[in-house]
Structure formats: structure tokens, C-alpha cells
Amino acid sequence: MFPVHCQLYFCRLSHEATSELLKNPETRLISCSISATLKAKYPPVPLTDRPQNRHARRWVSIALLSQPAAGSARSRRGPAAWTRAGRGVRAPPDWPQRGARGRCRGGRRREAARRMGTRAGFFEVEILDWKTKEQLCFLDKVEPNATIREIRLMFHKLYPRWYPARQSIKLDPRKSLRDEEILQHLPVGTTATLYFKDLGPQIGWTTVFLIEYTGPLFIYFLFYFRMPFVYGLDERFTSSPHPVVNLACICHSFHYIKRLIETVFVHRFSHGTMPLRNIVKNCLYYWGFAAWLAYYINHPLYTPPSYGKKQINFAVIMFLLCEAGNFSIHVALSDLQKNGSKTRKIPYPTKNPFTWLFFFVSCPNYTYEVGTWISFTIMTQCVPVGLFTLLCFIQMTVWAKDKHCTYLREFKDYPSLRMPIIPFLL
Ligand SMILES: NC(=O)c1ccc[n+]([C@@H]2O[C@H](COP(=O)([O-])OP(=O)(O)OC[C@H]3O[C@@H](n4cnc5c(N)ncnc54)[C@H](OP(=O)(O)O)[C@@H]3O)[C@@H](O)[C@H]2O)c1
């Protein structure tokens, strides 16, 4: 089957790589006693011993590759397993091409580790631009237990303008890797191909929230105090004859002051920053809607709720309960990261009855937030408030569904009764 003196290469392959390999006419896969010998010598690590089983399971087979006549993959690096095995294996055309700055380096230790087929040696990490697939850097001798954070720092040394918070490092062009993920636990061989995306200039989350929430607070007052340029000169600095308008101003201010306090003292954001450009979008949303709502609620022609005090009292009680609930959930979520751990955990109900909504939904803070805006709509009986509430509900439902799916994916023992945002419904 092979020449007398032939060199064989073996590697662990994923399903996708195996099927690609089988498509390639130049590749000869052999399953013979050599494979058994190798397996005996290098027994596979039991799945339970691996920290990230879901990744480990992706490696499904051991392939033995001969050296076909034509084509060399050395200059066309694909996924690591492919290239390690892959002298003579043609990489599929859609795999990234090695750029002009590519280097193939490997010390004796790397070579020895490679020959032995173990993961004991250093790793090589090549980082490609996620769009152009051009190679941006090639890091050799990366410790197997290096985290993505450390790789970001190495990359930053080479490209000082891309500080770590600006970098999105991905294993495939869709999903960013988290800082704490460890290189050897990723589904890669000893040569890892990662993708880099520039997230643009960054701004801290706390600053973002402070800017976002301070705006509505002050904008609302411009309308409440009827500044000269708002409703016309005749109405300047007048006040509404309806007590509910004062109440609405108190509730609106309370809501945003609470959010500011939570931002500073309660939330522990795992992502330190967000792209600067997003702040314009977010501010337009929060500030614009605050102005719109305030304009109608404080308008001289505003008419109070149809059912008078009963409606207002009901709405105020509901508003306060929802605010208390929202705050309690934020405290419960913050407690999950009390010891500084940034690992995502399943949030559970605590002794605080407001957190018992966790029995039924994944994101009770959103449920309470929607409740807050529904009660504000009932209180003011104002169409723009109702529209804003609807928009908030849609936005938070999308996010809640996303978070719910992530919980289901990450935790096998995730409580099955929970829905994303509305108990038993949605
Ligand atoms: N009116 C609106 O349109 C609107 C829209 C969205 C939000 N809001 C309000 O803003 C609040 C915050 O929104 P958000 O989207 O940032 O809420 P979130 O994603 O639930 O996050 C709130 C905090 O809890 C942490 N957290 C969430 N799940 C966690 C878990 N499983 N383990 C550990 N920590 C966890 C988050 O940390 P990480 O940094 O790690 O995520 C963050 O610090 C909402 O509750 C709501 O009151 C209003």
C-alpha cells in the first residue's frame, strides 16, 4: 500500500475534517493495525477527565495519512489537526490562506512533541483577520494552558493599537472566545488557527450606563418644568394641574436613579467595555424615548387616567413591586459573581420572595422591568408610554430568549420549568 520507506502522520479529526478528507482523492486513509498500535501506545483521554467534554467529543477519529504525490498543505494552513497531519493533504479552498507574513517555525521540542503525537509540547497559534483571512501573526511556543486573555496580551504586544478590550478573538468566524478559555481545551490541535476582529475603540460599561441613564433623568425635567422652548412661551415654567403628572415625574426619576445606583453599586459586569459607537445608538434610544414620553405626559393638554385614583393607586403599587423585584434580581445576579468568579452560573431563587420568579423564568429582571413600564403606562394612560413599553418588551424578549438558550446549552441540569421571560408562556 505504501512505499517501503514512508512517513505517516496521524491526527485527531473532527467530523467536518474527516468528511473533507474523504472527499480528497489524493488522500489515502488507512485503518489498519498501525492505528491499533498507536491507540494502545497513546490511549485516548477519557471524556470525563477533560474539562470541556463538549469540545472533546468533537474529536471523533484518528486518521493515518500517507504522503501523496501532489500538492503541499504547508503553505495552505487550515485547522490545526489538518496541518499537523497534513503534509500532502490539500486544504479545502475556502480555508484561510497563509499570508505573506507567515512563518513556519518550530523548535526541536515542538517537533518532538509533534512526532510523538502528544499535546505535551508548546502550541502554535496563528491569528488571521476574520474578514480577509490574512495572517496577522504567528505565535509559537504558546503554553498549552495559556488563556485567551494571555493570547490577547501577546497579540497586543505585536499590535499596540489593538488593546485587549478591542479584540474579538474567535475560533470560527461567528463566536468570540471568552477571556478565561484555555487553549488546550479548545477543539484545536497543537497549531491553533484563531480569527481576530477589531471591535473599535472601547468605553467602560459603567461609564456607558451612567451616560445612558443620566440623560433621561435630566431630559424629563426639561419637560416637567416646561422650559421656555418646549411648549411655547405662554406655558413656560407653569405646572400641570393634575397630581398624576407629579407622580409620574417621581416614578420616572426614581426608576433612573435606581438604575444609576445599581450601575455603581450592584452590577458586576464581566465585560469591561463596549464599542464606543454603540453608545450613540443606545443614547438615542434612551434619551429620545425619554423626551418623547415626557413631552406627552407633561403637555398642557394632557388628560389624566379614566378611572382616576383607583387606576393610579393600582399602578403605583404595581410599579413599586416591580422595581423591588427588579432590584432583588440584580442583587441575586450580582451575588453569583461575589467571589470574583466570572463563570456563568445558574441563578436560583433565594430567601427573598421577589427572586422566586426564578422558578419560572430565566430572566426575571426583564419580567419585572416590563412590569414597571406596564404600570407606568397604566398610571399615565398615555399612548407613547404604551408604545415604548411594547418596544422594551420586544427587545427584552429577544435578549431573554437568547440568554435562555445559552443556559440550556451550557447547563444540562437547567430547570425545565423555566421560560425565557413570561412564566409558562414565552
Ligand atoms: N427598558 C429597556 O429597554 C431595558 C432593556 C434592557 C435592560 N434594561 C434594564 O437594565 C437591566 C440590566 O440589563 P442587562 O441586559 O445588562 O441584564 P443582564 O444581562 O441580566 O445582566 C445584569 C447583571 O447580572 C449579571 N448576570 C446575568 N446573568 C448572570 C449569570 N448567569 N451569572 C452571573 N452573572 C450574571 C450580568 O453580568 P454580565 O456582565 O456578565 O452579563 C450583569 O452584571 C435589566 O435588568 C433591566 O432592568 C432595560
Side-chain angles (χ1 to χ4, degrees):
M1 197 188 300
F2 294 104
V4 180
H5 298 289
C6 84
Q7 225 176 344
L8 295 178
Y9 303 82
F10 84 94
C11 67
R12 280 172 287 183
L13 292 178
S14 65
H15 278 294
E16 301 85 1
T18 309
S19 54
E20 283 299 332
L21 203 65
L22 290 171
K23 279 186 212 156
N24 192 330
E26 290 175 348
T27 306
R28 282 169 243 161
L29 267 173
I30 56 167
S31 63
C32 62
S33 58
I34 304 170
S35 177
T37 316
L38 278 171
K39 275 184 188 166
K41 197 167 178 189
Y42 304 110
V45 180
L47 285 177
T48 45
D49 290 355
R50 299 189 186 185
Q52 293 195 3
N53 288 346
R54 64 201 163 86
H55 290 321
R57 265 188 224 112
R58 289 182 62 188
W59 302 102
V60 291
S61 63
I62 286 186
L64 287 170
L65 312 167
S66 73
Q67 186 180 347
S72 164
R74 274 188 177 258
S75 59
R76 324 173 99 212
R77 279 179 176 251
W82 191 281
T83 50
R84 266 199 311 141
R87 196 136 44 106
V89 179
R90 247 184 228 289
D94 55 331
W95 278 4
Q97 305 281 310
R98 179 173 271 263
R101 298 173 60 189
R103 286 175 292 140
C104 258
R105 283 204 273 143
R108 269 189 211 148
R109 189 137 56 124
R110 277 282 310 109
E111 201 51 47
R114 191 181 293 183
R115 283 217 192 101
M116 282 169 67
T118 70
R119 309 186 94 195
F122 291 111
F123 275 51
E124 292 170 339
V125 176
E126 66 171 347
I127 300 183
L128 313 179
D129 184 285
W130 77 290
K131 223 175 199 172
T132 61
K133 308 289 184 282
E134 184 202 344
Q135 190 188 58
L136 297 171
C137 79
F138 187 80
L139 308 165
D140 57 0
K141 296 194 176 175
V142 180
E143 293 285 346
N145 56 0
T147 59
I148 294 299
R149 185 183 296 115
E150 284 159 356
I151 292 173
R152 278 185 214 279
L153 290 172
M154 291 177 211
F155 188 64
H156 175 46
K157 271 188 192 159
L158 295 170
Y159 293 95
R161 69 178 181 283
W162 290 325
Y163 46 89
R166 248 185 109 142
Q167 302 169 18
S168 165
I169 300 286
K170 301 157 182 266
L171 193 55
D172 67 67
R174 279 156 302 167
K175 200 180 161 225
S176 289
L177 292 167
R178 291 194 309 273
D179 262 1
E180 57 279 9
E181 288 189 81
I182 294 171
L183 187 58
Q184 65 178 341
H185 297 161
L186 298 175
V188 293
T190 50
T191 305
T193 303
L194 301 177
Y195 297 89
F196 160 79
K197 183 181 174 188
D198 179 16
L199 295 174
Q202 299 290 300
I203 181 168
W205 269 109
T206 308
T207 319
V208 169
F209 281 127
L210 292 181
I211 295 171
E212 278 177 14
Y213 299 156
T214 316
L217 198 60
F218 288 104
I219 286 172
Y220 198 94
F221 287 134
L222 297 181
F223 294 87
Y224 178 72
F225 292 114
R226 296 185 178 167
M227 289 297 166
F229 51 88
V230 179
Y231 297 112
L233 290 178
D234 291 350
E235 305 291 343
R236 66 185 156 168
F237 301 120
T238 56
S239 54
S240 169
H242 308 296
V244 68
V245 173
N246 303 330
L247 196 62
C249 180
I250 293 171
C251 289
H252 190 272
S253 309
F254 176 83
H255 180 71
Y256 281 102
I257 290 171
K258 171 187 150 288
R259 279 217 206 164
L260 285 170
I261 292 172
E262 284 175 346
T263 301
V264 178
F265 299 108
V266 180
H267 291 313
R268 295 169 210 260
F269 301 109
S270 54
H271 307 289
T273 61
M274 81 166 205
L276 188 60
R277 57 178 175 265
N278 284 6
I279 198 164
V280 179
K281 198 177 63 188
N282 291 10
C283 284
L284 272 179
Y285 174 79
Y286 280 109
W287 296 22
F289 269 109
W292 196 46
L293 306 187
Y295 177 82
Y296 284 98
I297 297 171
N298 297 291
H299 199 281
L301 298 178
Y302 169 78
T303 47
S306 317
Y307 295 96
K309 271 192 176 171
K310 262 190 207 166
Q311 183 173 339
I312 296 168
N313 290 345
F314 168 77
V316 171
I317 292 170
M318 186 175 159
F319 178 87
L320 291 175
L321 287 177
C322 288
E323 288 288 12
N326 184 268
F327 178 77
S328 307
I329 301 298
H330 288 158
V331 172
L333 288 175
S334 172
D335 284 348
L336 289 180
Q337 302 182 23
K338 219 173 192 172
N339 51 4
S341 136
K342 291 193 173 171
T343 343
R344 305 303 281 183
K345 293 175 194 145
I346 304 180
Y348 285 107
T350 63
K351 282 178 192 163
N352 178 347
F354 285 112
T355 64
W356 295 352
L357 203 51
F358 269 128
F359 282 121
F360 308 107
V361 293
S362 296
C363 305
N365 49 332
Y366 293 164
T367 316
Y368 283 123
E369 176 82 18
V370 173
T372 301
W373 286 106
I374 291 177
S375 54
F376 197 63
T377 310
I378 297 172
M379 185 192 304
T380 54
Q381 200 176 293
C382 191
V383 174
V385 183
L387 287 177
F388 177 63
T389 304
L390 183 68
L391 214 71
C392 290
F393 174 62
I394 295 170
Q395 171 70 83
M396 282 186 267
T397 304
V398 173
W399 290 352
K401 280 188 163 185
D402 213 35
K403 281 167 201 266
H404 183 72
C405 287
T406 311
Y407 281 135
L408 289 177
R409 201 172 49 241
E410 287 186 358
F411 303 104
K412 282 202 190 75
D413 52 342
Y414 194 69
S416 56
L417 194 62
R418 288 191 196 179
M419 298 297 282
I421 185 165
I422 307 284
F424 309 114
L425 271 181
L426 190 68

